[in-house]
Amino acid sequence: MNSLTNLPNPLAGRPDVSPLPGIGEVTDVEQPEISAKLVGFESKDARSRPFNLLRAQLIKKLAETGGHLIGITSPAPNAGKSFVASNLAASMSQLSNRRTVLIDLDLRRATIADIFGLEGPEGVTEYLLGDELSLSQIGRRIGASNLVVYPTFPAPVNSAELMVSDRLLDLVARARALGEDAVVIFDLPPVFANDDAILVAEQLDGILLVVEQGVTTKKQLQSSLQLLHPTPLLGTIFNRFTGGSGDPYGYGGKYDGYYSD
């Protein structure tokens, strides 16, 4: 794995960057219409197990590397990367000692807002376009959780231009300024959809790559790793994995009683 000390530091030359707004500085969303796909908040729900396990592995990996800005992407569309990003962020936010932020940078096909039941019309796209918006205006705290979401609402824009804009660099720098007790998850477009993920990845501390069992090819995986290099790969996530009979996670019901009331 490449050392994080060799990566470009977005804070270089910006010693006075203010961190992203935190809880208390953004709008509270009391009871959003959360999608049924969002299970990461429910620790007793058996479907949250994979995300809690992923959370533990990610925390361990971040402790080893010292990073806290994570991009989640996939080689091709429809692999479920936004589903994984949302549930990982929800699971991570259950830890009281971690500030958790989720930023939707899939500008053309944004779905984070739908998953969390957030309404527009202004979000990350408008902020990057230079509209008279502050980050505190677009950030949303989800219920009473320790999670702040910066949603995007799809719009016909030149996303690649925005990915290398000063506003994007400032957004990443402010995310980094939160400190090491924060985990900032960026939902990125698929690698082969355009070059957005590649442009942003070089500013981050690591990448999680979502692959779909039986769909993502070995060539797609290898090409994605080459395109995302030198940003460290923190791990790959098999989505829609078919495990034991009747159990999509392969546990065979062995631990169901542990999670029941």
Side-chain angles (χ1 to χ4, degrees):
M1 178 178 294
N2 296 311
S3 170
L4 295 181
T5 58
N6 294 328
L7 294 177
N9 183 357
L11 277 176
R14 303 182 182 195
D16 300 322
V17 171
S18 300
L20 289 176
I23 292 173
E25 301 177 87
V26 298
T27 301
D28 287 345
V29 181
E30 296 294 338
Q31 293 180 325
E33 294 293 330
I34 288 177
S35 166
K37 295 180 179 180
L38 190 61
V39 299
F41 286 126
E42 303 295 333
S43 61
K44 291 186 177 181
D45 190 323
R47 295 173 298 171
S48 70
R49 292 180 205 162
F51 302 106
N52 294 339
L53 292 172
L54 177 60
R55 175 184 68 190
Q57 291 177 299
L58 180 59
I59 289 174
K60 181 178 180 180
K61 183 69 69 173
L62 294 179
E64 295 173 354
T65 61
H68 63 282
L69 304 189
I70 310 305
I72 296 184
T73 184
S74 59
N78 302 317
K81 64 173 183 61
S82 298
F83 164 76
V84 171
S86 298
N87 280 286
L88 175 59
S91 177
M92 190 72 71
S93 74
Q94 302 306 293
L95 303 179
S96 60
N97 64 340
R98 292 278 175 175
R99 290 180 290 172
T100 308
V101 177
L102 175 60
I103 301 175
D104 192 347
L105 285 183
D106 193 349
L107 303 188
R108 298 186 186 184
R109 296 188 62 183
T111 58
I112 296 295
D114 289 338
I115 293 174
F116 284 90
L118 304 177
E119 297 180 353
E122 296 174 327
V124 174
T125 297
E126 287 70 33
Y127 175 79
L128 295 179
L129 285 170
D131 290 2
E132 294 299 321
L133 286 173
S134 66
L135 287 169
S136 60
Q137 288 177 279
I138 63 175
R140 318 285 175 84
R141 180 189 182 186
I142 307 301
S145 73
N146 188 29
L147 173 62
V148 174
V149 175
Y150 290 89
T152 291
F153 304 96
V157 295
N158 184 346
S159 56
E161 182 178 342
L162 296 180
M163 293 300 103
V164 295
S165 67
D166 288 341
R167 298 277 276 189
L168 188 281
L169 293 176
D170 182 70
L171 174 64
V172 174
R174 294 187 65 178
R176 192 174 297 281
L178 283 173
E180 294 184 0
D181 67 323
V183 175
V184 184
I185 298 172
F186 294 83
D187 182 30
L188 304 177
V191 175
F192 295 123
N194 48 47
D195 60 350
D196 292 6
I198 301 168
L199 294 172
V200 177
E202 64 182 10
Q203 304 295 335
L204 307 182
D205 298 327
I207 290 290
L208 289 172
L209 196 61
V210 178
V211 299
E212 186 176 359
Q213 183 190 29
V215 176
T216 304
T217 67
K218 181 179 180 180
K219 184 176 181 180
Q220 287 177 327
L221 182 57
Q222 292 175 333
S223 297
S224 295
L225 296 179
Q226 292 172 354
L227 291 169
L228 293 169
H229 181 78
T231 306
L233 176 69
L234 299 178
T236 56
I237 302 167
F238 281 94
N239 191 29
R240 304 186 180 103
F241 172 72
T242 302
S245 178
D247 178 9
Y249 303 123
Y251 294 113
K254 181 178 179 181
Y255 301 107
D256 285 348
Y258 184 86
Y259 283 86
S260 61
D261 291 330

